[in-house]
Amino acid sequence: TEATPPLVMRAKSHGSMLRILTDRQEEIARWCRQTLASTLVDVSESDWVLAAWDQTSGPVDHRVTGLARRVGGAKLSPVARTRIEACGASIRRRTRDVVGEWAALLTDRQALGRGFAKHAPGLFSESQLDNIHRWCVDRDRLRTGSQNSDDDDEPYALDVEDEALLLRIHQLQRGPLQGPKGPLAYHPLMVDEVQDFAPVELAVLLDSTTSRRSITLAGDTNQGIAPEHGFLTWTEMLSQLGLPHECVEPLRVSYRSTRQIVDCALAVLGPLLGDERPQAPRLGAEVESFA
């Protein structure tokens, strides 16, 4: 849909959403362990099973698979094995459900409030969060067919920002995105006009690269056309993505534009320019203004 309110676009695209998604995955992992513990509370092998869970790592759905492999090769009582298998099937329904996790986050007013309060305090007021939540709930009712209003025939459609959220949740919860021949693994990766990408979108791309991570990000914060993404500085953006700041290399020579055009552009930038003044070796005609 192209009717997404700018407020919702900002919430779904903002860099803090990366940390909110990570927190949610940690909550799912804790829920898995608690569910195992409560299922096996009176089973003698419970300590062994929980220790086996604690030794797994990675996306939570992979951890469930890892536990199943350990249990499959272990000598356990029939009672313990039966309960573990039943519990594993129940847990797996949640860890495999990427769409369910996406919908659960966006339709949970308290979860949204806690997440933004923790990772982006002051970004949204309570009334703004109410509006964001209301939009997401209404869209989810359309998705599930539970909308009861005069516009029941409105077609369901994703917000553009949902694509990156769904892909990122898949990576965090189920592992690498899959291509026709296995996991997607690009080498190298170059992203131009990076200032117009949401941090969630960049995280999806970065986690679809090979282990060598040959990555080039190019952009100019002064040319951003998507302020809802919250991209203010390279330092902030790299911190959100977990990349080292020392990789930033400003380009100091303008080969494309003449000195006259560069001088005009710098005058327009004013205080946004900062300390960097690019060189412009080419000369050209003076810049003119037409009323």
Side-chain angles (χ1 to χ4, degrees):
T1 178
E2 295 181 358
T4 311
L7 196 62
V8 176
M9 294 169 60
R10 189 179 187 198
K12 292 185 176 183
S13 299
H14 198 269
S16 56
M17 187 59 76
L18 278 175
R19 297 189 178 94
I20 292 174
L21 295 182
T22 299
D23 287 351
R24 294 275 299 188
Q25 292 302 310
E26 293 174 354
E27 290 177 13
I28 294 177
R30 287 193 293 270
W31 172 82
C32 289
R33 195 184 193 283
Q34 291 166 0
T35 303
L36 280 169
S38 61
T39 301
L40 304 172
V41 65
D42 57 348
V43 175
S44 59
E45 294 97 333
S46 62
D47 288 344
W48 180 90
V49 175
L50 293 176
W53 169 263
D54 291 339
Q55 291 169 9
T56 62
S57 61
V60 66
D61 193 57
H62 284 195
R63 296 185 67 181
V64 176
T65 299
L67 178 65
R69 289 172 179 165
R70 290 171 182 264
V71 168
K75 294 182 179 180
L76 300 173
S77 66
V79 172
R81 189 172 296 279
T82 299
R83 289 198 190 179
I84 293 169
E85 290 175 353
C87 182
S90 174
I91 289 174
R92 180 81 82 182
R93 281 194 290 273
R94 181 175 181 184
T95 61
R96 287 264 169 101
D97 189 3
V98 170
V99 174
E101 168 57 20
W102 162 79
L105 167 62
L106 297 176
T107 58
D108 187 333
R109 173 62 176 81
Q110 292 185 339
L112 287 172
R114 286 195 306 268
F116 285 115
K118 178 180 179 181
H119 297 297
L123 180 64
F124 299 115
S125 67
E126 291 299 314
S127 62
Q128 287 177 322
L129 285 169
D130 289 340
N131 290 334
I132 294 166
H133 175 248
R134 189 177 303 112
W135 170 267
C136 294
V137 168
D138 288 345
R139 302 309 297 176
D140 197 57
R141 286 173 178 165
L142 283 174
R143 179 181 70 87
T144 59
S146 58
Q147 183 83 294
N148 293 311
S149 65
D150 295 335
D151 54 2
D152 281 341
D153 57 349
E154 179 186 352
Y156 172 71
L158 289 170
D159 297 330
V160 171
E161 295 73 22
D162 286 322
E163 296 176 348
L165 290 177
L166 285 163
L167 292 172
R168 187 59 183 157
I169 292 171
H170 188 291
Q171 290 175 322
L172 294 173
Q173 190 165 309
R174 296 193 58 176
L177 302 177
Q178 300 295 311
K181 299 181 180 179
L184 293 179
Y186 295 109
H187 176 80
L189 172 71
M190 167 140 188
V191 183
D192 196 12
E193 304 293 358
V194 73
Q195 74 277 357
D196 294 326
F197 283 76
V200 177
E201 295 172 330
L202 291 172
V204 170
L205 293 173
L206 293 176
D207 271 9
S208 299
T209 57
T210 65
S211 57
R212 292 177 61 188
R213 305 205 86 186
S214 175
I215 299 166
T216 302
L217 306 178
D220 183 350
T221 55
N222 292 323
Q223 295 185 34
I225 60 173
E228 65 273 7
H229 294 170
F231 185 166
L232 300 176
T233 66
W234 279 96
T235 299
E236 181 179 355
M237 185 270 288
L238 293 173
S239 294
Q240 292 170 344
L241 296 173
L243 297 175
H245 300 174
E246 60 267 18
C247 340
V248 176
E249 180 61 37
L251 303 180
R252 298 180 175 84
V253 180
S254 175
Y255 293 101
R256 178 184 296 173
S257 302
T258 64
R259 184 179 302 172
Q260 287 80 357
I261 291 176
V262 170
D263 287 343
C264 178
L266 298 181
V268 171
L269 277 175
L272 295 176
L273 175 61
D275 298 329
E276 293 292 336
R277 183 181 180 87
Q279 303 173 34
R282 288 177 54 209
L283 294 175
E286 292 299 323
V287 176
E288 297 183 59
S289 172
F290 295 88

